[in-house]
C-alpha cells in the first residue's frame, strides 16, 4: 500500500513534467520522421524503417535514465525526501517506488514508437510484441542507471551527465546512427563491451523473428542490468543512511 | 512525564561540533521552542531526534524509545515538517495529503475523512486542487504542517516553520500551530524571539551546539533580570561569550 502510494506519486511527477513528455516521447518520434525522410531521399540500409525503429526504441530508453535520475536528485535536494525518511517507508519501498513507475512508461514509449512507425512503412507482425517484451531488460538497466546517478549526483550534474553525455553515448555506441564496422578498432570493441549495441541488435533480431540472433545479445544486457541494479540499490541505501 | 530526554547528545561534522553534549528534557504535551541564532545546532538536534542522522555519542529517548537503538519505533511516533517546504511540487495539495495517508496505510475511506478534517483544521479548502509547487511559501508551509499532522503523531517536529514568511503569513501559520497545541508534543525551532514567546510553553536557548538556558518566558526573563524577552535572550547569549 505505502509502496504503491509512493510509486503513484513518482508516476505523476514524471508524467506531469512537460519537458519529460517532450523529450521522452517527442524526440524519438521526431528522429523516426527525420531519418525516414533522409532514407526516402538517400537510401541507406541502416535507416530502413524495420532496422531503424528497433534502434530508436533502444535510444529512447536513455531518457528513462534521465527521468529517474532527475526525479531522485530533485527529491534529494529538496526537503521532500527528508520528510519521507521519517515515515515508515523502508529503503526497499523507496527503490521500488522510484523504479516501478518508469517501467510502464518505457514500455509505453516503445509501443508508441512502433505504432508511429507503421504509417512510415514498418512491417506489422507478431514479432512486434516480442520486441516490446524484449526491451524490458534494457529498460531495467536504464532505470537502475537513473537511480544510481540520482543517488550520487545533483540535479545540474544529472542534466549534464544523463541528459547530454548518456544520450550521446547510447547513440554512438548502439550502432543505430552509423555502422560500427565503419569506425572499427577500439571504438567497436568499446561498443561491444557496453550494453547499447547489444540492446539494439536484440531488438532488431526480435523484431525480425531471429530468436537465435537474439540469444547472443541478451546475456550482456542481463549482466549489465543486474550489476547496475545492485550498484544503484547500494548507492541509494548508502546516501539514505548518510542523509 | 517526559516526551523526550536527551543525554549528552553529540553531533560533529568534520572539525565542527554542531551539538555538544546536549541534555534536554521535553514534557509530554508541551510546545517546546528551541531558540538560537543560525548555526546554534537546532536543526541538527531535530535531525537526530527524528532519526534522520545518528549521533556519534550520547542518546535520546523519544516517546520511550532510544533514537540510536529503536529508530523504527521512534519513527512510528513522530512526524517532521522540515525547514524547507517539503511538498511534491507537481502534485495537488489533495494528492500530497493522499500520498502521506497512503504511506501511513490509511484506507480510501479514512483518507477521504482525514483530508476533510485537515482541510477544515488548516483552512486548505481553497487550495486543495492547486499544484503544491505553485503555492506561496506560506501556503506550502501550511500544507507541509498538515502533511506532518496526518499520522497524528505523539511528537511533532517543526523546523523553522515560518522562516522567510511575511508577517501575515507568519501569524496565520501561528494560528495553525496553536490549533495543534495540547493534542501533541511539539518541538519547534526558530530564531524569531516573538515566535518562541507567542507559541511556546517553554523555551530552550541554544548556542554553539549547547543548551544555555531553558524555562518559560517568565523564568528566562527573571534569570536575565529583565521584563523583555528579546533583551533576556541577548543577555543569556552574550553572558555565554563572557
Amino acid at each position: 500500500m505505502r509502496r504503491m502510494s509512493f510509486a503513484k506519486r513518482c508516476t505523476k511527477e514524471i508524467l506531469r513534467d512537460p519537458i519529460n513528455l517532450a523529450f521522452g516521447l517527442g524526440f524519438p518520434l521526431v528522429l523516426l520522421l527525420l531519418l525516414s525522410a533522409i532514407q526516402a531521399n538517400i537510401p541507406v540500409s541502416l535507416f530502413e524503417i524495420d532496422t531503424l525503429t528497433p534502434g530508436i526504441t533502444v535510444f529512447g530508453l536513455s531518457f528513462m535514465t534521465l527521468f529517474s535520475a532527475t526525479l531522485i536528485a530533485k527529491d534529494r535536494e529538496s526537503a521532500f525526501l527528508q520528510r519521507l525518511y521519517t515515515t515508515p517507508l523502508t529503503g526497499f519501498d523507496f527503490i521500488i517506488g522510484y523504479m516501478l513507475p518508469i517501467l510502464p512508461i518505457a514500455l509505453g514509449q516503445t509501443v508508441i514508437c512502433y505504432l508511429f512507425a507503421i504509417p512510415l512503412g514498418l512491417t506489422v507482425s507478431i514479432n512486434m510484441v516480442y520486441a516490446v517484451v524484449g526491451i524490458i531488460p534494457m529498460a531495467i538497466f536504464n532505470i537502475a542507471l537513473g537511480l544510481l546517478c540520482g543517488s550520487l549526483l545533483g540535479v545540474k550534474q544529472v542534466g549534464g551527465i544523463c541528459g547530454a553525455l548518456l544520450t550521446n553515448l547510447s547513440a554512438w555506441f548502439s550502432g543505430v546512427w552509423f555502422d560500427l564496422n565503419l569506425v572499427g578498432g577500439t571504438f567497436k570493441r568499446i561498443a561491444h563491451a557496453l550494453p547499447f549495441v547489444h540492446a539494439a541488435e536484440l531488438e532488431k533480431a526480435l523484431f525480425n523473428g531471429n530468436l537465435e540472433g537474439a540469444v547472443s545479445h541478451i546475456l550482456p544486457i542481463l549482466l549489465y542490468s543486474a550489476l547496475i541494479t545492485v550498484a544503484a540499490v547500494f548507492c541509494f541505501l548508502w546516501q539514505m543512511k548518510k542523509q | 512525564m517526559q516526551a523526550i530526554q536527551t543525554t549528552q547528545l553529540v553531533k560533529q561534522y568534520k572539525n565542527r561540533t554542531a551539538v555538544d553534549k546536549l541534555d534536554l528534557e521535553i514534557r509530554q504535551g508541551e510546545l517546546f521552542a528551541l531558540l538560537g541564532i543560525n548555526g546554534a545546532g537546532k536543526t541538527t538536534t531535530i535531525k537526530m531526534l527524528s532519526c534522520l542522522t545518528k549521533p556519534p555519542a550520547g542518546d535520546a529517548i523519544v516517546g520511550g524509545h532510544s533514537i540510536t537503538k529503536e529508530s523504527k519505533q521512534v519513527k512510528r511516533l513522530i512526524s517532521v515538517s522540515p525547514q524547507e517546504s517539503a511538498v511534491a511540487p507537481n502534485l495537488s495539495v489533495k494528492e500530497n495529503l493522499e500520498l502521506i495517508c497512503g504511506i501511513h496505510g490509511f484506507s480510501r475511506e479514512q483518507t477521504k475523512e482525514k483530508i476533510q478534517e485537515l482541510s477544515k483544521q488548516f483552512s486548505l479548502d481553497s487550495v486543495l486542487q492547486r499544484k503544491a509547487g505553485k503555492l506561496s511559501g506560506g501556503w506550502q508551509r501550511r500544507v507541509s504542517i498538515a502533511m506532518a499532522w496526518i499520522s497524528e503523531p505523539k511528537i511533532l517536529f517543526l523546523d523553522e516553520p515560518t522562516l522567510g514568511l511575511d508577517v501575515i503569513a507568519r501569524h496565520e501559520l501561528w494560528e495553525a500551530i496553536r490549533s495543534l497545541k495540547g493534542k501533541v508534543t511539539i518541538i519547534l525551532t526558530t530564531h524569531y524571539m516573538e515566535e518562541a514567546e507567542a507559541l511556546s510553553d517553554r523555551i530552550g536557548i541554544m548556542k554553539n551546539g549547547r543548551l544555555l538556558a531553558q524555562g518559560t518566558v517568565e523564568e528566562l526573563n527573571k534569570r536575565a533580570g529583565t521584563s523583555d524577552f528579546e533583551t533576556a535572550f541577548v543577555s543569556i547569549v552574550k553572558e555565554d561569550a563572557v
Side-chain angles (χ1 to χ4, degrees):
Chain A
M1 172 69 178
R2 58 178 189 232
R3 202 171 294 155
M4 289 318 290
S5 296
F6 182 61
K8 208 167 135 187
R9 170 263 163 181
C10 293
T11 310
K12 285 177 184 168
E13 286 279 357
I14 293 169
L15 293 179
R16 286 179 187 176
D17 189 335
I19 296 170
N20 281 347
L21 287 180
F23 272 89
L25 273 180
F27 197 53
L29 300 184
V30 168
L31 281 173
L32 265 176
L33 272 180
L34 200 67
L35 295 173
S36 297
I38 292 172
Q39 166 69 12
N41 292 315
I42 314 158
V44 185
S45 63
L46 201 64
F47 294 161
E48 281 170 9
I49 197 75
D50 281 2
T51 311
L52 181 66
T53 312
I56 292 281
T57 61
V58 171
F59 171 69
L61 292 180
S62 55
F63 293 103
M64 300 302 128
T65 306
L66 182 63
F67 293 171
S68 76
T70 307
L71 180 65
I72 297 159
K74 267 187 188 169
D75 282 353
R76 276 180 51 231
E77 284 186 8
S78 75
F80 184 70
L81 206 51
Q82 208 178 84
R83 168 196 287 283
L84 296 185
Y85 283 162
T86 63
T87 68
L89 282 174
T90 64
F92 185 67
D93 294 333
F94 281 109
I95 289 159
I96 294 293
Y98 277 125
M99 290 184 76
L100 203 62
I102 307 177
L103 192 59
I105 297 174
L107 290 175
Q109 184 199 49
T110 306
V111 170
I112 289 171
C113 275
Y114 279 116
L115 293 177
F116 188 80
I118 292 172
L120 299 174
L122 187 77
T123 311
V124 180
S125 75
I126 186 71
N127 294 337
M128 215 182 263
V129 177
Y130 302 144
V132 171
V133 175
I135 211 154
I136 291 175
M138 192 57 185
I140 292 172
F141 165 81
N142 277 277
I143 297 164
L145 191 60
L147 180 65
L148 180 69
C149 293
S151 301
L152 298 175
L153 308 171
V155 177
K156 277 187 184 169
Q157 292 165 310
V158 160
I161 290 177
C162 297
L165 187 65
L166 183 78
T167 47
N168 276 298
L169 285 179
S170 155
W172 298 341
F173 291 117
S174 64
V176 174
W177 315 118
F178 51 85
D179 190 343
L180 293 174
N181 290 316
L182 292 175
V183 187
T186 310
F187 188 87
K188 191 182 165 188
R189 279 196 293 277
I190 293 172
H192 279 275
L194 294 171
F196 309 108
V197 68
H198 296 290
E201 291 304 321
L202 173 76
E203 272 300 284
K204 285 179 200 169
L206 287 172
F207 184 76
N208 293 309
N210 176 12
L211 289 180
E212 266 180 45
V215 170
S216 61
H217 291 291
I218 198 155
L219 193 65
I221 302 169
L222 289 176
L223 276 175
Y224 265 103
S225 297
L227 193 75
I228 294 295
T229 304
V230 170
V233 168
F234 176 79
C235 284
F236 183 83
L237 295 177
W238 169 76
Q239 72 77 26
M240 188 179 168
K241 205 172 171 187
K242 193 177 145 206
Q243 202 160 20
Chain B
M1 195 177 166
Q2 308 299 344
I4 295 174
Q5 182 157 22
T6 73
T7 316
Q8 298 282 293
L9 202 61
V10 171
K11 186 70 188 177
Q12 286 150 332
Y13 293 112
K14 291 181 181 166
N15 297 327
R16 193 175 67 86
T17 302
V19 175
D20 191 8
K21 295 174 184 165
L22 183 70
D23 287 318
L24 184 66
E25 286 181 1
I26 298 169
R27 295 170 201 151
Q28 212 160 48
E30 74 175 341
L31 195 155
F32 189 91
L34 274 176
L35 181 65
I37 51 171
N38 289 337
K42 309 181 295 286
T43 297
T44 308
T45 303
I46 294 265
K47 281 187 173 177
M48 284 191 284
L49 295 177
S50 57
C51 303
L52 274 171
T53 184
K54 268 196 172 180
D59 199 354
I61 302 300
V62 175
H65 299 282
S66 158
I67 58 163
T68 56
K69 299 178 195 85
E70 300 169 293
S71 62
K72 262 188 188 173
Q73 287 89 328
V74 172
K75 281 183 182 183
R76 284 196 198 113
L77 301 173
I78 64 157
S79 199
V80 182
S81 178
Q83 197 174 99
E84 299 159 57
S85 299
V87 294
N90 282 329
L91 265 58
S92 69
V93 170
K94 189 175 175 223
E95 286 169 334
N96 267 283
L97 299 174
E98 282 170 347
L99 166 69
I100 303 297
C101 286
I103 286 171
H104 286 284
F106 286 32
S107 68
R108 195 172 288 184
E109 208 43 49
Q110 284 172 313
T111 301
K112 206 175 157 189
E113 277 172 27
K114 180 55 81 178
I115 291 174
Q116 275 178 353
E117 182 192 318
L118 289 169
S119 303
K120 203 174 164 191
Q121 186 173 2
F122 291 92
S123 309
L124 295 175
D125 273 330
S126 60
V127 295
L128 221 47
Q129 303 302 334
R130 286 180 61 190
K131 268 193 183 179
K134 302 278 182 200
L135 297 175
S136 68
W139 276 107
Q140 286 194 16
R141 297 286 170 85
R142 192 186 284 233
V143 173
S144 187
I145 295 174
M147 286 163 78
W149 182 238
I150 282 176
S151 61
E152 294 189 15
K154 287 205 162 47
I155 299 162
L156 178 63
F157 295 98
L158 303 177
D159 193 8
E160 307 261 12
T162 63
L163 187 70
L165 298 187
D166 62 52
V167 67
I168 301 294
R170 185 180 300 167
H171 277 263
E172 282 173 355
L173 207 58
W174 284 2
E175 281 312 308
I177 295 168
R178 277 198 192 102
S179 75
L180 300 175
K181 274 187 83 170
K183 297 174 185 167
V184 58
T185 306
I186 302 175
I187 295 88
L188 173 146
T189 72
T190 183
H191 58 243
Y192 297 124
M193 256 116 303
E194 70 276 22
E195 184 162 291
E197 200 176 357
L199 295 174
S200 327
D201 297 312
R202 288 194 310 135
I203 298 166
I205 297 175
M206 284 186 80
K207 186 189 172 190
N208 297 332
R210 290 183 297 116
L211 187 71
L212 301 182
Q214 63 177 317
T216 61
V217 172
E218 292 73 29
E219 284 166 352
L220 293 169
N221 282 346
K222 197 175 168 189
R223 176 184 158 159
T226 171
S227 57
D228 169 45
F229 183 59
E230 189 168 330
T231 314
F233 172 78
V234 173
S235 160
I236 289 167
V237 170
K238 279 195 170 172
E239 187 184 295
D240 178 66
V242 179

